[in-house]
Amino acid sequence: MSVLVYIDTADGHVKKSSLEVLTYGAKVAEQLGTSVEGVVLGTTTEDLSALGKYGVKKIHHVANEALNNFDAQVFTKVIAQAAEASGATVIVFSNNLSGKAIAPRLSVRLKAGLVSGAVALPDTSNGFTVKKNVFSGKAFANIAVSTQVKIIALNPNAYQTIAGEGTAEVVALNAAVDAAKIKVTNVTKASGEVPLAEADVVVSAGRGLKGPENWGMVEELAKLLHAATACSRPVADAHWRPHNEHVGQTGVAIAPNLYIAIGISGAIQHLAGVNRSKVIVVINKDPEAPFFKAADYGIVGDAFEIIPKFTAAIKKLKGVA
Amino acid sequence: MKILVCISKTPDTTAKIAFTDNNTKFDVNGVQWIINPYDEWYALVRAIELKEKDAATIIHLVTVGAADAEPIIRKALALGGDEAIRVNADSHDSFYIASQIAEVAKQGGYDLVLTGKETIDYNGSSIGGMVAELLDLPYVSLATKFELAGTKATITREIEGGEETNEVELPVVVSAQKGMAEARIPNMRGIMAARTKPLKVVEPITVEALTAVAGFGLPPAKAGVKLVDAENVEELVRLLHEEAKAI
């Protein structure tokens, strides 16, 4: 018996969300009186044994180059073999892009009940129930899983990473790897920017900024805070900003520690994508903007006056000129 | 080319979220129902665009639900699609629903199964992956573009901080999100035509659900916004640093 954590990587590096699920998995294992193991697919340049500080005792590494490209069908079969090797009764994924592609497949393959979008540790006092967000963050549901093997896909930023001491034993898993049916022909990444879904801080702006030429100050603020930039739907629809920056009901749903919304009124569709943020700051010149009702902190004022002052004040705090 | 588009009925985005029966059931009182936006705007509209390019394309829609799902499936037919199949079952968990869709897909022999990236009620993002595994087909999730040349699909999907282009031979299961197509409104001709399009009702296969909702709840209300004067922006930075510990 064990808890198995899928350690997601990108370009051979362990993703930040993987550290969250490792910490979470270790806690679940503690609850169940068992140990946590991990599985890594593909080759990596990182020292996997160092992940032991997040509580993982043993890592199954399938260091097969064929797994450096993602194909959910192939990955599912390999993770199923790792689940068997580790005798996993609970399998944990991050509910990130890879998790969303693999976890449902693995659920079918292992006939294991899946809770996707989990936001808390399981309640094992009476059966096995896991809290998840539903209705786009407007409510939660407790999902009871009755199958022998259970799969949890944990929402990014829902569980805090805790690093302690320890080293993991890394063992090579010689798994059968099918030929991928999906061929990856091109990858484009915005270099140097913080990926939106994983960002701790997000600086977002809306129509209040009046035009794409005014985004310089948003980008400056974001850079200062090591934040990702985002935007509202009208801004993406007007092509002021790329579509992948659109947060909201029909765009990306995010849950950063800090969400700063500038010149966004806060339509219900927008709130649905950001209401899981821990702290929300709203800057809007309209005191009646609905976003203020969902905010923790707010300033009623003109973005073009507030943002430079805000940036200057943060520079002062951080001691940068 | 034969496409199956999965359609789900969801509460309108602005619907009031409340629960009944000791917080075990969603309160449907006064709720307006819509086609799940991801299913409609991205999956269905992209299928219609493919049919506009190649008239030989056949589009079937599938939904799993009781008779009260029919207005939604008719509305989807008004946008486009040749016929619809309703699996006559109350919704259970995503495994149950995916199993019903996979059964329909097996019967129909489709080249492409399209779903929205998630429903806006349960936010599971699971149906596409489950259907793909049940059919033992490749799955491209969270796709933003889908192009077809013969039997080869070129699909762009989101990855963290960027995008990736995938090539895959049909048949394939794809979940669609923003970028895939532009939202459309049904026109009068479509609405009239939808009335006479075939809507088949089939009975569900026997499947045990893997999970069940034990209860619902609402998140605690926000304490209320703390407003800072526009002349005192430094105070906001102080609060974020010292009180919220967010920067």
Side-chain angles (χ1 to χ4, degrees):
Chain A
M1 197 169 119
S2 76
V3 172
L4 180 69
V5 173
Y6 171 64
I7 302 168
D8 195 17
T9 59
D11 308 324
H13 294 286
V14 173
K15 289 184 192 170
K16 179 193 149 218
S17 56
S18 296
L19 309 183
E20 292 166 8
V21 284
L22 279 170
T23 308
Y24 178 91
K27 197 76 195 165
V28 176
E30 193 184 309
Q31 259 179 295
L32 299 174
T34 177
S35 67
V36 58
E37 301 186 7
V39 57
V40 175
L41 274 58
T43 56
T44 166
T45 49
E46 283 189 28
D47 174 19
L48 295 175
S49 63
L51 295 174
K53 64 173 182 262
Y54 302 102
V56 63
K57 300 279 182 264
K58 186 175 178 183
I59 294 174
H60 303 268
H61 188 196
V62 191
N64 185 328
E65 277 185 7
L67 296 169
N68 290 356
N69 279 332
F70 185 79
D71 182 324
Q73 194 174 19
V74 177
F75 273 46
T76 300
K77 285 185 187 170
V78 174
I79 296 167
Q81 293 171 65
E84 205 186 323
S86 61
T89 51
V90 178
I91 305 168
V92 185
F93 288 88
S94 169
N95 196 36
N96 64 2
L97 300 163
S98 319
K100 283 177 181 174
I102 307 167
R105 296 198 74 123
L106 193 66
S107 167
V108 167
R109 191 158 196 91
L110 303 178
K111 288 282 179 295
L114 164 66
V115 182
S116 61
V119 292
L121 288 166
D123 178 355
T124 52
S125 60
N126 177 22
F128 192 99
T129 58
V130 188
K131 186 173 168 179
K132 70 159 285 184
N133 279 121
V134 289
F135 296 103
S136 307
K138 284 178 270 186
F140 62 84
N142 291 311
I143 306 294
V145 188
S146 51
T147 49
Q148 201 202 338
V149 179
K150 296 148 180 92
I151 304 177
I152 300 171
L154 178 73
N155 264 350
N157 285 340
Y159 201 79
Q160 202 176 354
T161 300
I162 304 165
E165 301 285 320
T167 314
E169 177 199 356
V170 181
V171 294
L173 179 68
N174 203 354
V177 179
D178 288 356
K181 289 184 192 159
I182 290 171
K183 202 167 113 194
V184 178
T185 55
N186 190 35
V187 177
T188 47
K189 274 193 181 183
S191 59
E193 288 173 29
V194 182
L196 186 52
E198 290 198 356
D200 273 329
V201 181
V202 174
V203 180
S204 185
R207 266 184 300 193
L209 252 72
K210 297 195 164 57
E213 67 279 8
N214 296 324
W215 246 261
M217 61 181 188
V218 176
E219 283 167 349
E220 189 193 356
L221 178 60
K223 205 172 165 197
L224 195 59
L225 293 169
H226 301 290
T229 50
C231 68
S232 64
R233 183 174 170 200
V235 165
D237 283 353
H239 305 290
W240 292 1
R241 299 296 292 178
H243 276 307
N244 57 17
E245 282 199 4
H246 161 206
V247 291
Q249 179 94 68
T250 51
V252 187
I254 54 170
N257 282 323
L258 175 61
Y259 182 72
I260 302 171
I262 304 160
I264 301 175
S265 65
I268 197 160
Q269 290 84 353
H270 185 77
L271 295 181
V274 302
N275 56 15
R276 290 187 292 114
S277 309
K278 289 204 178 70
V279 178
I280 295 178
V281 175
V282 170
I283 297 165
N284 202 301
K285 67 178 176 187
D286 175 10
E288 300 298 319
F291 217 151
F292 283 115
K293 288 200 178 72
D296 300 284
Y297 301 97
I299 292 186
V300 179
D302 182 15
F304 293 95
E305 285 170 26
I306 306 293
I307 300 309
K309 286 185 191 168
F310 190 57
T311 304
I314 290 168
K315 277 186 181 164
K316 201 170 141 191
L317 173 79
K318 293 188 178 257
V320 283
Chain B
M1 175 75 171
K2 222 176 149 187
I3 308 173
L4 182 66
V5 182
C6 307
I7 300 288
S8 181
K9 179 187 100 168
T10 56
D12 183 59
T13 39
T14 57
K16 184 175 178 290
I17 306 301
F19 304 100
T20 62
D21 290 19
N22 201 18
N23 283 331
T24 56
K25 285 201 177 79
F26 174 59
D27 185 358
V28 296
N29 215 338
V31 169
Q32 293 280 330
W33 298 93
I34 57 168
I35 309 171
N36 180 44
Y38 298 109
D39 300 345
E40 175 183 352
W41 298 346
Y42 308 130
L44 176 58
V45 174
R46 186 64 195 135
I48 295 166
E49 289 173 354
L50 291 170
K51 190 181 168 84
E52 284 166 354
K53 277 191 198 159
D54 175 9
T57 303
I58 296 167
I59 303 172
H60 288 179
L61 315 182
V62 61
T63 195
V64 180
D68 62 2
E70 292 200 357
I72 293 302
I73 201 96
R74 285 279 176 214
K75 197 185 156 208
L77 283 170
L79 277 163
D82 300 292
E83 65 172 72
I85 301 141
R86 176 171 72 82
V87 182
N88 186 30
D90 283 327
S91 71
H92 291 65
D93 74 341
S94 46
F95 176 71
Y96 181 92
I97 295 166
S99 300
Q100 305 304 335
I101 293 170
E103 182 62 23
V104 169
K106 271 180 209 160
Q107 304 287 336
Y110 298 94
D111 304 295
L112 171 64
V113 179
L114 272 173
T115 75
K117 73 160 182 174
E118 65 184 56
T119 59
I120 62 166
D121 47 7
Y122 283 89
N123 307 111
S125 210
S126 308
I127 298 293
M130 287 183 171
V131 169
E133 187 68 20
L134 287 159
L135 299 172
D136 198 22
L137 290 180
Y139 174 47
V140 179
S141 55
L142 301 158
T144 53
K145 284 190 195 99
F146 181 97
E147 297 297 337
L148 198 63
T151 58
K152 190 171 80 182
T154 303
I155 308 165
T156 304
R157 74 173 186 102
E158 186 194 347
I159 57 171
E160 271 94 3
E163 56 182 38
E164 183 181 276
T165 311
N166 292 169
E167 277 181 13
V168 61
E169 283 291 319
L170 299 179
V172 62
V173 180
V174 175
S175 79
Q177 66 166 335
K178 193 175 176 95
M180 183 66 105
E182 293 291 332
R184 291 186 180 188
I185 304 166
N187 56 30
M188 192 43 85
R189 208 172 123 227
I191 294 166
M192 296 305 285
R195 292 184 183 171
T196 54
K197 284 179 183 172
L199 196 171
K200 278 199 283 190
V201 180
V202 299
E203 289 306 312
I205 56 165
T206 308
V207 176
E208 287 281 336
L210 305 178
T211 62
V213 174
F216 290 103
L218 296 172
K222 283 252 180 193
V225 62
K226 203 176 259 188
L227 284 178
V228 176
D229 192 272
E231 296 302 318
N232 196 5
V233 180
E234 286 201 5
E235 171 64 5
L236 175 64
V237 173
R238 189 194 68 79
L239 285 167
L240 288 174
H241 183 62
E242 291 174 14
E243 187 179 83
K245 300 197 188 324
I247 56 174

